[in-house]
């Protein structure tokens, strides 16, 4: 049994249900949900840039060897040379006996073996750089290569190792930036929108009731 109360609800009760929090439209929250789209687009651009760097690096490496004009060991092939542009000779497969290549002395004084190794894989076939030389004149000159075991030779460019390493690091940088930036933007946007929602709910909530007996007027 409850006892009527002149200043509020009946004694012994718990009052009415708690007030329903106001609904805050999503358009009133800041920052805008557009930032989620920005994060997604940024991720797509960065990943696409990384893939592009890798594709260009691999393509440039593959184009370093003129496999379309290869020649067998013991044969002679004529190529066009440009003065001062270092060329390289590649062999496939590598490690199958002693190999040797010769060019006319009018083209280059000597051929050198590179200190480092460089391999280009085209499909199921690999080409290894074995010699380099720098033409001292421009023109068409024959190249002759021999090997102890059957092998194929091809002329190509000296590999730009620095550019290849730079392209690989650029691709890795794009992937890492995407992996860090996209989640950070999404998390920061979600946290700030949550704080904004709480502020707006607090501002729109009705004031709590003032409990206690009504005022009886000024004292006599």
């Amino acid at each position: 049994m409850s006892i009527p109360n002149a200043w509020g609800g009946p004694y012994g009760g718990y009052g009415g249900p708690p007030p329903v929090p106001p609904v805050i439209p999503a358009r009133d929250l800041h920052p805008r949900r557009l930032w989620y789209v920005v994060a997604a687009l940024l991720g797509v651009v960065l990943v696409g840039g990384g893939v592009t760097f890798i594709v260009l690096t691999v393509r440039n490496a593959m184009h370093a060897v003129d496999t379309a004009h290869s020649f067998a060991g013991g044969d002679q092939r004529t190529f066009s040379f440009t003065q001062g542009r270092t060329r390289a000779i590649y062999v496939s497969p590598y490690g199958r006996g002693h190999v040797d290549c010769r060019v006319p002395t009018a083209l280059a004084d000597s051929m050198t073996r590179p200190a480092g190794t460089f391999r280009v894989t085209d499909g199921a076939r690999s080409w290894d750089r074995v010699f380099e030389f720098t033409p001292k004149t421009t023109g068409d000159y024959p190249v002759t290569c021999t090997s102890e075991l059957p092998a194929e030779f091809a002329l190509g460019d000296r590999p730009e190792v620095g550019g290849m390493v730079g392209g690989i690091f650029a691709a890795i940088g794009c992937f890492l930036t995407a992996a860090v930036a996209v989640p950070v933007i999404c998390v920061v946007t979600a946290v700030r929108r949550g704080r904004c929602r709480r502020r707006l709910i607090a501002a729109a909530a009705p004031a709590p009731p003032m409990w206690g007996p009504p005022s009886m007027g000024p004292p006599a």
Side-chain angles (χ1 to χ4, degrees):
M1 176 179 181
S2 62
I3 302 174
N5 180 9
W7 295 292
Y11 289 114
Y14 294 95
V20 178
V23 177
I24 305 300
R27 63 177 179 272
D28 294 340
L29 301 179
H30 295 279
R32 301 292 188 185
R33 286 182 293 186
L34 176 64
W35 282 100
Y36 294 123
V37 179
V38 172
L41 292 177
L42 178 62
V44 171
V45 171
L46 290 173
V47 172
V51 173
T52 301
F53 279 121
I54 292 178
V55 170
L56 291 177
T57 301
V58 173
R59 188 182 67 178
N60 291 338
M62 293 179 61
H63 288 177
V65 185
D66 186 9
T67 57
H69 299 90
S70 62
F71 56 99
D75 292 346
Q76 178 178 286
R77 192 70 179 264
T78 300
F79 297 94
S80 296
F81 297 94
T82 301
Q83 180 181 5
R85 179 187 174 185
T86 302
R87 307 306 302 272
I89 295 179
Y90 296 80
V91 61
S92 175
Y94 186 59
R96 302 188 60 181
H98 177 73
V99 297
D100 185 33
C101 292
R102 300 178 183 276
V103 295
T105 55
L107 175 64
D109 293 330
S110 63
M111 306 185 73
T112 59
R113 288 186 177 270
T117 60
F118 182 78
R119 172 174 292 181
V120 176
T121 301
D122 185 7
R125 193 164 197 176
S126 296
W127 296 85
D128 292 87
R129 179 186 54 168
V130 288
F131 295 106
E132 284 185 356
F133 64 96
T134 302
K136 58 184 180 180
T137 184
T138 299
D140 297 337
Y141 293 92
V143 176
T144 304
C145 293
T146 58
S147 61
E148 292 181 354
L149 297 175
E152 197 80 8
F153 293 88
L155 188 69
D157 295 323
R158 179 173 60 181
E160 297 294 338
V161 179
M164 296 178 61
V165 173
I168 294 174
F169 275 106
I172 295 175
C174 288
F175 294 144
L176 291 179
T177 303
V180 173
V182 173
V184 167
I185 293 175
C186 293
V187 170
V188 171
T189 301
V191 170
R192 294 185 63 185
R193 284 175 64 85
R195 291 176 180 175
C196 182
R197 181 186 298 275
R198 289 191 291 271
R199 287 197 302 267
L200 295 178
I201 290 176
M210 302 297 293
W211 301 105
S215 176
M216 304 301 293

